[in-house]
Amino acid sequence: MAQQPGAQADAGETRPVCVDDLRQSAAARLAPAVWDFVAGGSGTESTLDANRTALDSVSLVPRVLAGIEKTDTGARLLGTSAALPLAVAPMAYQCLLHPEGERAAAQGALAAQVPFVVSTISSRSLEEIAEVGAPLWFQLYWLRDRGRMTELIRRAEQAGCQALMVTVDVPIMGRRLRDLRNEFTLPDWIRCANLEPDGLSAAHAHRPSESAVAAHTSIAFDSTFGWSDVEWIRAQTRLPLVIKGVLDPRDAETAVRLGADAVVVSNHGGRQLDGAPASVSALPWVVEAVGGQCQVLMDSGVRSGTDILRALALGADGVLIGRPVLWGLSTAGARGVAQVLSILRTELEEALLLSGCADLEAARTLRTLVAGARG
Ligand SMILES: Cc1cc2nc3c(=O)[nH]c(=O)nc-3n(C[C@H](O)[C@H](O)[C@H](O)COP(=O)(O)O)c2cc1C
């Protein structure tokens, strides 16, 4: 398969020096329809693009003469100790990218000592992933089968997951034009391992001008869930509860009132409502609204240590890393994921030092300039 210059991370000849090197490597390796499934957003992809533009528009104002030699990137996210203020975002069907799928990605997270979030629709089961020994959180989608949801929560607890993350921005799957054009269909050997034996027949069945993954979602997911259902979930488990996919501060306030331990400010990597704001643009509102009553995480578009520092300076406690992990996974399995996370660590350490911050607490006191306004 064609290789682009600087993309031989697998061969060990040229080590990737930034996350984008692994993106290029993944783009050269993956089948075009799988690449599109990972890279694509919904509609015109305006929100997908906005995530990057908005992050790039946040300038960090460094402090000088701070007299520091080393920086400490250690964080505590929802009671889980992490070497970095980040977790690997929940992402479906990782066996599309590597035969070991989520097991390899979790090995990368273990090497980096950061939490790995298992998706409800992972292609390896919770239990198979837990064998790896990484710090795990479990992500729950709202299923039509409520009994199945309670069973999944019990399984997550038994597998040692340290938090439950409920994704609330997928009543239906956003209209992803690349997948529609590709008539994207999961190969037969991809499992929806946590939901067996129900199988994935809808996602395996090719339909003209349709995405089979979207078809499966509309069969399996319940679009009518509401805040009273979040109350129900809160009552089902003592695990820390995370609400993922919040952009409006009023929703963040409700999440806090109902007992959420964290919210994730997220537009699902630009894959749900096209036209939604960039996550980083919504972050300061949400931080202000929750007023320290719960942790605030952010995802969508984070690609460097500088981006992580931007999120921290705007008040986040940490970030989730999405697609870059899949780029590393498809390039070199567990080693590729570890490389992505190690690059982010090096970049964050350097950005902290260059901005005069000894640790994450200091990072939160940095000033920002956003599109000319003083932050
Ligand atoms: C291929 C792919 C699959 C995803 N699957 C899930 C999922 O199963 N559950 C979920 O809550 N979010 C899912 N997401 C969204 C991510 O958790 C995260 O919000 C998003 O990828 C962050 O944006 P980024 O990729 O730009 O970093 C998925 C994203 C991608 C790219």
PDB file of all heavy atoms in Angstrom, residues 116 118 126 130 135-139 153 155-164 239-240:
ATOM      1  N   PHE A 116      -8.802   4.700  29.619  1.00  0.00           N
ATOM      2  CA  PHE A 116      -9.315   4.316  28.306  1.00  0.00           C
ATOM      3  C   PHE A 116     -10.824   4.164  28.458  1.00  0.00           C
ATOM      4  O   PHE A 116     -11.298   3.431  29.329  1.00  0.00           O
ATOM      5  CB  PHE A 116      -8.687   2.983  27.871  1.00  0.00           C
ATOM      6  CG  PHE A 116      -9.184   2.493  26.541  1.00  0.00           C
ATOM      7  CD1 PHE A 116      -8.613   2.936  25.362  1.00  0.00           C
ATOM      8  CD2 PHE A 116     -10.239   1.579  26.455  1.00  0.00           C
ATOM      9  CE1 PHE A 116      -9.077   2.507  24.121  1.00  0.00           C
ATOM     10  CE2 PHE A 116     -10.704   1.138  25.224  1.00  0.00           C
ATOM     11  CZ  PHE A 116     -10.122   1.602  24.059  1.00  0.00           C
ATOM     12  N   VAL A 118     -14.210   2.680  27.193  1.00  0.00           N
ATOM     13  CA  VAL A 118     -14.742   1.615  26.341  1.00  0.00           C
ATOM     14  C   VAL A 118     -16.120   2.040  25.828  1.00  0.00           C
ATOM     15  O   VAL A 118     -16.998   2.391  26.612  1.00  0.00           O
ATOM     16  CB  VAL A 118     -14.918   0.309  27.151  1.00  0.00           C
ATOM     17  CG1 VAL A 118     -15.506  -0.798  26.277  1.00  0.00           C
ATOM     18  CG2 VAL A 118     -13.602  -0.127  27.763  1.00  0.00           C
ATOM     19  N   LEU A 126     -16.091  -5.660  26.818  1.00  0.00           N
ATOM     20  CA  LEU A 126     -15.593  -5.023  28.043  1.00  0.00           C
ATOM     21  C   LEU A 126     -14.607  -5.923  28.784  1.00  0.00           C
ATOM     22  O   LEU A 126     -13.549  -5.479  29.210  1.00  0.00           O
ATOM     23  CB  LEU A 126     -16.798  -4.870  28.957  1.00  0.00           C
ATOM     24  CG  LEU A 126     -17.366  -3.533  29.293  1.00  0.00           C
ATOM     25  CD1 LEU A 126     -18.687  -3.708  29.983  1.00  0.00           C
ATOM     26  CD2 LEU A 126     -16.390  -2.780  30.153  1.00  0.00           C
ATOM     27  N   ALA A 130     -10.759  -5.357  29.563  1.00  0.00           N
ATOM     28  CA  ALA A 130     -10.337  -5.229  30.971  1.00  0.00           C
ATOM     29  C   ALA A 130      -9.114  -6.093  31.264  1.00  0.00           C
ATOM     30  O   ALA A 130      -8.285  -5.742  32.112  1.00  0.00           O
ATOM     31  CB  ALA A 130     -11.492  -5.597  31.895  1.00  0.00           C
ATOM     32  N   PRO A 135      -6.429   1.565  33.172  1.00  0.00           N
ATOM     33  CA  PRO A 135      -7.555   2.193  33.878  1.00  0.00           C
ATOM     34  C   PRO A 135      -8.714   2.392  32.906  1.00  0.00           C
ATOM     35  O   PRO A 135      -8.518   2.955  31.826  1.00  0.00           O
ATOM     36  CB  PRO A 135      -6.995   3.550  34.340  1.00  0.00           C
ATOM     37  CG  PRO A 135      -5.613   3.675  33.806  1.00  0.00           C
ATOM     38  CD  PRO A 135      -5.254   2.430  33.047  1.00  0.00           C
ATOM     39  N   LEU A 136      -9.891   1.865  33.242  1.00  0.00           N
ATOM     40  CA  LEU A 136     -11.022   1.876  32.294  1.00  0.00           C
ATOM     41  C   LEU A 136     -12.194   2.692  32.803  1.00  0.00           C
ATOM     42  O   LEU A 136     -12.498   2.668  33.992  1.00  0.00           O
ATOM     43  CB  LEU A 136     -11.557   0.457  32.066  1.00  0.00           C
ATOM     44  CG  LEU A 136     -10.761  -0.552  31.270  1.00  0.00           C
ATOM     45  CD1 LEU A 136     -11.651  -1.756  30.955  1.00  0.00           C
ATOM     46  CD2 LEU A 136     -10.169   0.023  30.010  1.00  0.00           C
ATOM     47  N   TRP A 137     -12.864   3.378  31.887  1.00  0.00           N
ATOM     48  CA  TRP A 137     -14.193   3.934  32.119  1.00  0.00           C
ATOM     49  C   TRP A 137     -15.093   3.291  31.067  1.00  0.00           C
ATOM     50  O   TRP A 137     -14.603   2.836  30.027  1.00  0.00           O
ATOM     51  CB  TRP A 137     -14.226   5.448  31.930  1.00  0.00           C
ATOM     52  CG  TRP A 137     -13.328   6.241  32.831  1.00  0.00           C
ATOM     53  CD1 TRP A 137     -12.636   5.807  33.928  1.00  0.00           C
ATOM     54  CD2 TRP A 137     -13.008   7.647  32.706  1.00  0.00           C
ATOM     55  NE1 TRP A 137     -11.919   6.831  34.486  1.00  0.00           N
ATOM     56  CE2 TRP A 137     -12.128   7.978  33.750  1.00  0.00           C
ATOM     57  CE3 TRP A 137     -13.387   8.649  31.808  1.00  0.00           C
ATOM     58  CZ2 TRP A 137     -11.619   9.269  33.932  1.00  0.00           C
ATOM     59  CZ3 TRP A 137     -12.885   9.934  31.989  1.00  0.00           C
ATOM     60  CH2 TRP A 137     -12.016  10.241  33.042  1.00  0.00           C
ATOM     61  N   PHE A 138     -16.407   3.277  31.343  1.00  0.00           N
ATOM     62  CA  PHE A 138     -17.323   2.696  30.366  1.00  0.00           C
ATOM     63  C   PHE A 138     -18.275   3.760  29.845  1.00  0.00           C
ATOM     64  O   PHE A 138     -18.829   4.542  30.617  1.00  0.00           O
ATOM     65  CB  PHE A 138     -18.128   1.536  30.979  1.00  0.00           C
ATOM     66  CG  PHE A 138     -19.051   0.878  29.981  1.00  0.00           C
ATOM     67  CD1 PHE A 138     -18.528   0.181  28.896  1.00  0.00           C
ATOM     68  CD2 PHE A 138     -20.430   0.986  30.102  1.00  0.00           C
ATOM     69  CE1 PHE A 138     -19.368  -0.398  27.948  1.00  0.00           C
ATOM     70  CE2 PHE A 138     -21.276   0.395  29.166  1.00  0.00           C
ATOM     71  CZ  PHE A 138     -20.730  -0.294  28.083  1.00  0.00           C
ATOM     72  N   GLN A 139     -18.460   3.779  28.528  1.00  0.00           N
ATOM     73  CA  GLN A 139     -19.391   4.737  27.899  1.00  0.00           C
ATOM     74  C   GLN A 139     -20.684   4.035  27.526  1.00  0.00           C
ATOM     75  O   GLN A 139     -20.679   3.002  26.859  1.00  0.00           O
ATOM     76  CB  GLN A 139     -18.744   5.344  26.642  1.00  0.00           C
ATOM     77  CG  GLN A 139     -19.656   6.298  25.873  1.00  0.00           C
ATOM     78  CD  GLN A 139     -20.391   5.613  24.732  1.00  0.00           C
ATOM     79  OE1 GLN A 139     -19.848   4.707  24.105  1.00  0.00           O
ATOM     80  NE2 GLN A 139     -21.632   6.011  24.482  1.00  0.00           N
ATOM     81  N   ILE A 153     -24.210  -1.854  32.824  1.00  0.00           N
ATOM     82  CA  ILE A 153     -23.663  -1.114  33.980  1.00  0.00           C
ATOM     83  C   ILE A 153     -23.058  -2.106  34.977  1.00  0.00           C
ATOM     84  O   ILE A 153     -21.949  -1.913  35.476  1.00  0.00           O
ATOM     85  CB  ILE A 153     -24.756  -0.246  34.648  1.00  0.00           C
ATOM     86  CG1 ILE A 153     -25.212   0.842  33.672  1.00  0.00           C
ATOM     87  CG2 ILE A 153     -24.245   0.381  35.942  1.00  0.00           C
ATOM     88  CD1 ILE A 153     -26.446   1.623  34.126  1.00  0.00           C
ATOM     89  N   ARG A 155     -21.922  -5.104  34.322  1.00  0.00           N
ATOM     90  CA  ARG A 155     -20.704  -5.676  33.724  1.00  0.00           C
ATOM     91  C   ARG A 155     -19.537  -4.691  33.827  1.00  0.00           C
ATOM     92  O   ARG A 155     -18.409  -5.080  34.103  1.00  0.00           O
ATOM     93  CB  ARG A 155     -20.952  -6.042  32.247  1.00  0.00           C
ATOM     94  CG  ARG A 155     -21.668  -7.362  32.076  1.00  0.00           C
ATOM     95  CD  ARG A 155     -22.031  -7.612  30.632  1.00  0.00           C
ATOM     96  NE  ARG A 155     -20.879  -7.680  29.745  1.00  0.00           N
ATOM     97  CZ  ARG A 155     -20.965  -7.681  28.412  1.00  0.00           C
ATOM     98  NH1 ARG A 155     -22.145  -7.632  27.811  1.00  0.00           N
ATOM     99  NH2 ARG A 155     -19.882  -7.760  27.673  1.00  0.00           N
ATOM    100  N   ALA A 156     -19.833  -3.406  33.611  1.00  0.00           N
ATOM    101  CA  ALA A 156     -18.767  -2.394  33.704  1.00  0.00           C
ATOM    102  C   ALA A 156     -18.207  -2.353  35.130  1.00  0.00           C
ATOM    103  O   ALA A 156     -16.993  -2.288  35.337  1.00  0.00           O
ATOM    104  CB  ALA A 156     -19.301  -1.033  33.293  1.00  0.00           C
ATOM    105  N   GLU A 157     -19.112  -2.425  36.111  1.00  0.00           N
ATOM    106  CA  GLU A 157     -18.648  -2.403  37.506  1.00  0.00           C
ATOM    107  C   GLU A 157     -17.785  -3.627  37.784  1.00  0.00           C
ATOM    108  O   GLU A 157     -16.707  -3.531  38.378  1.00  0.00           O
ATOM    109  CB  GLU A 157     -19.857  -2.393  38.457  1.00  0.00           C
ATOM    110  CG  GLU A 157     -20.606  -1.072  38.451  1.00  0.00           C
ATOM    111  CD  GLU A 157     -21.947  -1.129  39.189  1.00  0.00           C
ATOM    112  OE1 GLU A 157     -22.458  -2.257  39.438  1.00  0.00           O
ATOM    113  OE2 GLU A 157     -22.496  -0.066  39.475  1.00  0.00           O
ATOM    114  N   GLN A 158     -18.281  -4.790  37.316  1.00  0.00           N
ATOM    115  CA  GLN A 158     -17.533  -6.024  37.590  1.00  0.00           C
ATOM    116  C   GLN A 158     -16.189  -6.064  36.887  1.00  0.00           C
ATOM    117  O   GLN A 158     -15.229  -6.646  37.380  1.00  0.00           O
ATOM    118  CB  GLN A 158     -18.373  -7.244  37.192  1.00  0.00           C
ATOM    119  CG  GLN A 158     -19.315  -7.640  38.324  1.00  0.00           C
ATOM    120  CD  GLN A 158     -20.500  -8.452  37.837  1.00  0.00           C
ATOM    121  OE1 GLN A 158     -20.448  -9.059  36.764  1.00  0.00           O
ATOM    122  NE2 GLN A 158     -21.555  -8.467  38.600  1.00  0.00           N
ATOM    123  N   ALA A 159     -16.121  -5.422  35.727  1.00  0.00           N
ATOM    124  CA  ALA A 159     -14.855  -5.409  34.974  1.00  0.00           C
ATOM    125  C   ALA A 159     -13.876  -4.378  35.547  1.00  0.00           C
ATOM    126  O   ALA A 159     -12.760  -4.248  35.057  1.00  0.00           O
ATOM    127  CB  ALA A 159     -15.131  -5.113  33.501  1.00  0.00           C
ATOM    128  N   GLY A 160     -14.299  -3.653  36.578  1.00  0.00           N
ATOM    129  CA  GLY A 160     -13.391  -2.714  37.249  1.00  0.00           C
ATOM    130  C   GLY A 160     -13.381  -1.313  36.651  1.00  0.00           C
ATOM    131  O   GLY A 160     -12.460  -0.539  36.924  1.00  0.00           O
ATOM    132  N   CYS A 161     -14.399  -0.978  35.855  1.00  0.00           N
ATOM    133  CA  CYS A 161     -14.433   0.384  35.302  1.00  0.00           C
ATOM    134  C   CYS A 161     -14.579   1.388  36.449  1.00  0.00           C
ATOM    135  O   CYS A 161     -15.286   1.132  37.421  1.00  0.00           O
ATOM    136  CB  CYS A 161     -15.607   0.542  34.330  1.00  0.00           C
ATOM    137  SG  CYS A 161     -15.351  -0.403  32.828  1.00  0.00           S
ATOM    138  N   GLN A 162     -13.902   2.515  36.294  1.00  0.00           N
ATOM    139  CA  GLN A 162     -13.858   3.486  37.391  1.00  0.00           C
ATOM    140  C   GLN A 162     -14.793   4.673  37.186  1.00  0.00           C
ATOM    141  O   GLN A 162     -14.843   5.570  38.021  1.00  0.00           O
ATOM    142  CB  GLN A 162     -12.417   3.973  37.582  1.00  0.00           C
ATOM    143  CG  GLN A 162     -11.487   2.837  38.020  1.00  0.00           C
ATOM    144  CD  GLN A 162     -10.033   3.250  37.978  1.00  0.00           C
ATOM    145  OE1 GLN A 162      -9.672   4.322  38.429  1.00  0.00           O
ATOM    146  NE2 GLN A 162      -9.196   2.404  37.422  1.00  0.00           N
ATOM    147  N   ALA A 163     -15.488   4.715  36.067  1.00  0.00           N
ATOM    148  CA  ALA A 163     -16.485   5.787  35.840  1.00  0.00           C
ATOM    149  C   ALA A 163     -17.448   5.330  34.760  1.00  0.00           C
ATOM    150  O   ALA A 163     -17.115   4.463  33.939  1.00  0.00           O
ATOM    151  CB  ALA A 163     -15.796   7.081  35.422  1.00  0.00           C
ATOM    152  N   LEU A 164     -18.637   5.919  34.788  1.00  0.00           N
ATOM    153  CA  LEU A 164     -19.647   5.638  33.767  1.00  0.00           C
ATOM    154  C   LEU A 164     -19.923   6.930  33.008  1.00  0.00           C
ATOM    155  O   LEU A 164     -20.279   7.949  33.611  1.00  0.00           O
ATOM    156  CB  LEU A 164     -20.937   5.146  34.441  1.00  0.00           C
ATOM    157  CG  LEU A 164     -22.059   4.779  33.472  1.00  0.00           C
ATOM    158  CD1 LEU A 164     -21.704   3.511  32.690  1.00  0.00           C
ATOM    159  CD2 LEU A 164     -23.368   4.564  34.230  1.00  0.00           C
ATOM    160  N   LEU A 239     -20.784   4.454  40.664  1.00  0.00           N
ATOM    161  CA  LEU A 239     -19.614   4.937  39.920  1.00  0.00           C
ATOM    162  C   LEU A 239     -19.775   6.432  39.637  1.00  0.00           C
ATOM    163  O   LEU A 239     -20.900   6.909  39.450  1.00  0.00           O
ATOM    164  CB  LEU A 239     -19.496   4.210  38.571  1.00  0.00           C
ATOM    165  CG  LEU A 239     -19.067   2.744  38.594  1.00  0.00           C
ATOM    166  CD1 LEU A 239     -19.097   2.177  37.172  1.00  0.00           C
ATOM    167  CD2 LEU A 239     -17.679   2.593  39.202  1.00  0.00           C
ATOM    168  N   PRO A 240     -18.642   7.163  39.571  1.00  0.00           N
ATOM    169  CA  PRO A 240     -18.742   8.558  39.133  1.00  0.00           C
ATOM    170  C   PRO A 240     -19.444   8.618  37.775  1.00  0.00           C
ATOM    171  O   PRO A 240     -19.182   7.788  36.897  1.00  0.00           O
ATOM    172  CB  PRO A 240     -17.279   9.001  39.013  1.00  0.00           C
ATOM    173  CG  PRO A 240     -16.507   8.062  39.877  1.00  0.00           C
ATOM    174  CD  PRO A 240     -17.264   6.755  39.877  1.00  0.00           C
TER     175      PRO A 240
END
